[in-house]
Amino acid sequence: AAFPYSGVLAFQCLHFHGRLKEGEKILILNGSGGVGSLAVQMAKYKKAYVYATASKHVDMVKNLGADEVLDYEKCQWYEQLRGHNIDVIVDFGVGYGAWAHAEQVLNPNGGRFISLVPDNPDGPVEYFNYKIGAPLRAYRSGGRYKLVKSIDLSNNRHLAYIAKMVQQSHLKPVLDPNSPFEFNASGVRKLFGKLGTKHTRGKLIMNIAANNGYAGPGRPMN
């Protein structure tokens, strides 16, 4: 449950959209989340130099392989990394505010900024920026900026790449300590409450099978 969607999303952000190459420098914003924690491991597997941001889970992200982890509650990543010529920035949690500062750290010769985060605030402004602002930003940046709006689950080679990493112990899921949440109204509230804190540690998952009485392979349902 923790791998297929998040793993493919991380893979595509790094390799398909970000075109990450061996030896390049990458900055992963929100390296402790469900997708970011997988992206850190994938980038290190690619032999990139990995910067990541986190707050309450700095040590965890270091243990996943990040070369340098910046605590965004103690410093501004764009001030710390100004002039570092980062080749790829992948934004898993900031939005337009990250792009506004990205030019200070991006490699001027081919640096790429990949975001999964629509602009804030919520409402008409967000919708306008999602529909109009992001494409305009991509055009004005010469293709350096890209907002990822969807994920391609049809490419079996991406899943095969992830499966190979798992089999070779190069990739492991990080689950939030509160996971799995129960599949009921209370569990849903707790899950979204934790998600809203923006301090998740890895992937949040919900145990749907248990609620349906499924006891595991080869065991009857209640």
Side-chain angles (χ1 to χ4, degrees), residues 10-29 39 43 46 48-53 77 81 84-92 98-99 102-103 105-116 143-146 148:
F11 175 89
Q12 291 178 1
C13 285
L14 267 60
H15 299 292
F16 181 72
H17 301 295
R19 307 185 306 280
L20 181 66
K21 301 179 182 65
E22 182 177 329
E24 287 192 320
K25 293 182 285 188
I26 183 172
L27 168 61
I28 298 172
L29 301 177
K46 187 66 175 179
Y49 191 90
V50 182
Y51 300 90
T53 65
W77 57 268
L81 300 178
H84 276 56
N85 292 338
I86 305 296
D87 298 292
V88 182
I89 297 177
V90 185
D91 175 20
F92 291 122
W99 168 248
E103 292 291 346
V105 305
L106 268 178
N107 188 338
N109 299 311
R112 290 87 73 194
F113 183 96
I114 312 300
S115 179
L116 272 73
R144 286 155 62 82
Y145 172 92
K146 184 170 186 178
V148 178

Side-chain angles (χ1 to χ4, degrees), residues 41-93:
Q41 297 174 74
M42 290 181 183
K44 202 60 192 173
Y45 182 71
K46 187 66 175 179
K47 298 181 180 179
Y49 191 90
V50 182
Y51 300 90
T53 65
S55 59
K56 299 183 182 301
H57 310 298
V58 169
D59 290 339
M60 182 202 81
V61 179
K62 286 182 179 178
N63 290 335
L64 292 176
D67 295 285
E68 297 186 38
V69 183
L70 306 176
D71 185 338
Y72 62 76
E73 292 187 341
K74 297 180 179 179
C75 68
Q76 300 290 353
W77 57 268
Y78 48 86
E79 293 178 352
Q80 294 292 110
L81 300 178
R82 183 179 288 121
H84 276 56
N85 292 338
I86 305 296
D87 298 292
V88 182
I89 297 177
V90 185
D91 175 20
F92 291 122

Side-chain angles (χ1 to χ4, degrees), residues 173-193:
V174 179
L175 299 183
D176 186 89
N178 295 309
S179 291
F181 293 85
E182 294 183 4
F183 186 54
N184 53 37
S186 175
V188 170
R189 284 194 297 270
K190 290 178 181 178
L191 187 149
F192 278 95

Side-chain angles (χ1 to χ4, degrees), residues 104-209:
Q104 300 178 49
V105 305
L106 268 178
N107 188 338
N109 299 311
R112 290 87 73 194
F113 183 96
I114 312 300
S115 179
L116 272 73
V117 188
D119 298 338
N120 289 320
D122 295 334
V125 174
E126 181 182 41
Y127 181 80
F128 175 82
N129 283 335
Y130 186 79
K131 291 293 186 180
I132 306 298
L136 181 61
R137 205 171 299 136
Y139 173 77
R140 294 180 64 181
S141 70
R144 286 155 62 82
Y145 172 92
K146 184 170 186 178
L147 176 64
V148 178
K149 298 181 180 181
S150 62
I151 177 174
D152 180 10
L153 295 173
S154 65
N155 195 323
N156 292 332
R157 289 179 298 176
H158 295 176
L159 281 171
Y161 182 95
I162 295 167
K164 179 181 177 181
M165 286 190 66
V166 173
Q167 291 168 358
Q168 295 179 348
S169 300
H170 293 300
L171 185 66
K172 60 183 179 181
V174 179
L175 299 183
D176 186 89
N178 295 309
S179 291
F181 293 85
E182 294 183 4
F183 186 54
N184 53 37
S186 175
V188 170
R189 284 194 297 270
K190 290 178 181 178
L191 187 149
F192 278 95
K194 185 62 182 290
L195 187 63
T197 67
K198 296 186 178 181
H199 290 297
T200 59
R201 181 185 183 276
K203 189 69 177 174
L204 301 175
I205 62 174
M206 181 163 282
N207 192 351
I208 298 176

